[in-house]
Amino acid sequence: MFSVEKNRPNQEAVIIGGGFYGSAIAVYLAKQRGIKRILLIEREPALLMRASYNNQARVHNGYHYPRSFTTAYRSRVNLPKFVRDWPLAVKQDFTKLYAIARRNSKVTAKQFERFCREIGADIRPADAVLRALFEPRLIEDVFLVEEHAFDTTQLASWALRELKESGVQVRYQTRVTAISRGARSPLNVVVETSQGGQEVITCRYVFNCTYSGLNQFAGDFPGVSTGLKQEITEMALMQMPASLRHLGITVMDGPFFSMMPFPARGLHTLSHVRYTPHLHWTDQLGVDPYHKLDQYEHATRVDKMLRDVGRYIPEVLKAKHVDSLFEVKTVLVKNEGDDGRPILFERHVALPGAYSILGGKIDNIYDVLEKLDAEYIVSSDDQENSNSGGVNA
């Protein structure tokens, strides 16, 4: 165990989860808030290996959310910030199209155009060559838009570099099992290593950034008050034919599909609203989503995806299935109807100093940092100086 001197916590802050959100929050605490002793705990052998990697790799610009104005508008605000802050990770050298289905779509082409104008998103009619890729009997209209993809391997490189530069300790293949109120310090975090060893870490702050694992802690941790739905999803990785390789395509809005460049592998993702979700359940303590994923048979549904997508874009039938990424996706139950993707940000009153944070999209990180800006988070040294009337250096 770490030594404890004068009841001083082992760490000032413990971040649970080494995905993009956990890494970015650790860097923020060190660089923007002056927190000195920060420990980032990740159960995998490297950073950004789970949901941060196993997703569509899309930097949203609002188009995807015509039924959730707030989510759409926040994406419009956040995208240019993301491009500015992570330029090496952003892929822009492809053409992005949104098409509106004639049947079963929850928006018409005119409604989609009006929505894009309302959020200030660029939209233009696609030219005849691009329109010719679509089956006109099934597609009402096709639009050229501005949307990007991101390379998770570049984000992981950024995280490693920034965490090291910020002095953040990182412990891999370590799992947090409990969070409790401490006798000598505000919080106790119980961790278990891959070898089965156990340790108690004391700290002032805990940031629970475990995405699907938000509620999987014993001790005094109360769980989040917002209802969560867990889904086992399949993201198919495809080698597209030359005619589609330079494109990203989304057909709106309802039981349709998207294909996006996946820069980390030089392939495209293919996702389908009907076939990408394989299994879902209401989140609850004791039902470990990652254990459920491990036990699930990873049988691909890519043939069903391709058969349906091929009706709208015949060229996709020439695509080759290379791999599938299976992962647990976590959504807020309250947003299932409008497909909104707000952040979850909870300060646990019963466990002072503990926060739970979940972002539905990569660009939501700015919404999280805005929330953290408003929180009273200080280092032990600053607190001691304040209590003694001293002046910070």
Side-chain angles (χ1 to χ4, degrees), residues 100 119 131 160 162 182 195 249 299 342 370 372:
I100 308 301
I119 65 171
R131 287 172 181 271
L160 280 171
E162 290 291 317
Q195 291 77 33
I249 297 173
E370 283 184 16
L372 287 172

Side-chain angles (χ1 to χ4, degrees), residues 7-207:
N7 298 339
R8 187 181 178 90
N10 304 148
Q11 305 292 332
E12 292 200 355
V14 171
I15 290 86
I16 311 171
F20 178 69
Y21 274 68
S23 299
I25 288 169
V27 172
Y28 163 86
L29 292 173
K31 290 195 166 184
Q32 304 299 320
R33 304 304 293 269
I35 304 300
K36 303 298 183 187
R37 289 172 290 119
I38 301 173
L39 175 63
L40 177 64
I41 299 174
E42 168 56 42
R43 66 191 289 174
E44 300 296 331
L47 300 175
L48 278 69
M49 285 188 66
R50 297 302 304 246
S52 295
Y53 183 91
N54 298 323
N55 64 73
Q56 204 172 54
R58 185 201 306 251
V59 188
H60 282 276
N61 201 10
Y63 305 101
H64 211 65
Y65 302 102
R67 289 177 284 126
S68 179
F69 182 87
T70 300
T71 298
Y73 182 74
R74 290 304 302 176
S75 292
R76 284 284 301 120
V77 170
N78 291 335
L79 177 134
K81 297 179 185 177
F82 193 90
V83 173
R84 177 199 67 203
D85 293 338
W86 287 280
L88 296 179
V90 178
K91 179 180 175 65
Q92 304 183 53
D93 60 344
F94 65 98
T95 299
K96 186 61 204 287
L97 302 173
Y98 269 71
I100 308 301
R102 289 191 183 277
R103 293 187 288 274
N104 298 321
S105 178
K106 296 178 182 179
V107 296
T108 65
K110 287 189 179 299
Q111 288 171 337
F112 185 69
E113 286 185 278
R114 184 168 63 248
F115 158 74
C116 291
R117 288 196 300 270
E118 287 174 351
I119 65 171
D122 291 338
I123 181 171
R124 287 176 288 155
D127 63 33
V129 173
L130 293 172
R131 287 172 181 271
L133 293 168
F134 297 85
E135 169 53 62
R137 291 173 297 179
L138 298 179
I139 294 295
E140 180 188 358
D141 213 340
V142 183
F143 300 101
L144 188 65
V145 303
E146 181 185 356
E147 201 169 61
H148 310 318
F150 64 88
D151 186 338
T152 309
T153 61
Q154 290 286 345
L155 291 177
S157 296
W158 167 86
L160 280 171
R161 184 174 62 253
E162 290 291 317
L163 291 168
K164 182 178 180 180
E165 185 180 295
S166 303
V168 175
Q169 298 178 57
V170 183
R171 293 178 63 174
Y172 300 105
Q173 295 181 295
T174 303
R175 188 168 69 95
V176 173
T177 58
I179 308 170
S180 301
R181 288 181 291 273
R184 296 186 174 184
S185 64
L187 297 166
N188 288 340
V189 177
V190 181
V191 301
E192 186 178 89
T193 66
S194 58
Q195 291 77 33
Q198 196 173 81
E199 179 181 343
V200 177
I201 299 169
T202 60
C203 59
R204 301 187 69 210
Y205 302 104
V206 169
F207 297 88

Side-chain angles (χ1 to χ4, degrees), residues 274-313:
R274 186 179 297 118
Y275 300 118
T276 289
H278 280 232
L279 178 71
H280 65 85
W281 67 96
T282 301
D283 187 60
Q284 56 185 299
L285 180 64
V287 181
D288 185 338
Y290 300 116
H291 178 71
K292 210 170 177 75
L293 176 64
D294 290 341
Q295 298 300 309
Y296 184 75
E297 182 182 1
H298 294 183
T300 183
R301 294 179 178 173
V302 72
D303 288 346
K304 293 180 179 179
M305 292 188 202
L306 284 173
R307 277 200 299 272
D308 191 54
V309 175
R311 296 189 301 122
Y312 296 85
I313 308 171

